[in-house]
Amino acid sequence: QVHLVESGGGSVQTGGSLRLSCAASGDTDITHSLAWFRQHSGKEREGVAAFYTGGGSTYYADSVKGRFSITHDNAKNTVYLQMNSLKPEDTAMYYCAAVRLWPGLRWSNEYDYTYWGQGTQVTVSS
């Protein structure tokens, strides 16, 4: 089992920045993929960014490329999402997710992930 706890959400104005953290505990050595998803009110979760621990590869949704950055601190078992140049459309509940096997091209498919955090709210005002 892997337990994920997110933190770092909050309210910012357009153009601001936030850094989300996701601390993993438990059987963290079995997780090869860590990802961030977000869910706008009334919509399905969408993949935002993913990190493949096996090789350090990173993947991003087109909507956040160039603005968001996902990093992983192996010693702390923590994955981060640095969010810059935030826009009102980035407002959502953000979730950390993990899975044992790397989903490859399906990295943004929520159904391929086994473990989920409780979420942290990000609100961007115009």
Side-chain angles (χ1 to χ4, degrees):
Q1 289 291 324
V2 177
H3 186 55
L4 303 172
V5 179
E6 302 99 332
S7 61
S11 298
V12 295
Q13 292 186 329
T14 298
S17 298
L18 283 173
R19 188 176 82 154
L20 306 183
S21 300
C22 173
S25 60
D27 295 328
T28 56
D29 59 341
I30 69 171
T31 56
H32 291 175
S33 175
L34 297 163
W36 286 96
F37 285 75
R38 66 186 180 187
Q39 187 170 24
H40 298 96
S41 179
K43 296 187 177 181
E44 294 186 351
R45 287 180 187 174
E46 61 172 350
V48 175
F51 185 96
Y52 174 46
T53 60
S57 302
T58 56
Y59 300 81
Y60 298 94
D62 289 342
S63 58
V64 306
K65 281 182 181 177
R67 300 188 298 123
F68 291 12
S69 176
I70 186 170
T71 57
H72 179 246
D73 187 328
N74 192 54
K76 295 182 178 180
N77 289 323
T78 300
V79 62
Y80 303 95
L81 184 68
Q82 178 66 43
M83 305 185 295
N84 300 324
S85 301
L86 283 162
K87 305 174 182 179
E89 50 263 44
D90 294 318
T91 295
M93 183 70 80
Y94 283 72
Y95 297 90
C96 177
V99 65
R100 178 174 182 176
L101 299 177
W102 171 239
L105 294 178
R106 293 172 57 88
W107 71 265
S108 60
N109 187 333
E110 64 172 308
Y111 299 106
D112 282 344
Y113 288 80
T114 306
Y115 307 104
W116 291 86
Q118 81 289 350
T120 185
Q121 177 68 37
V122 171
T123 302
V124 185
S125 59
S126 58

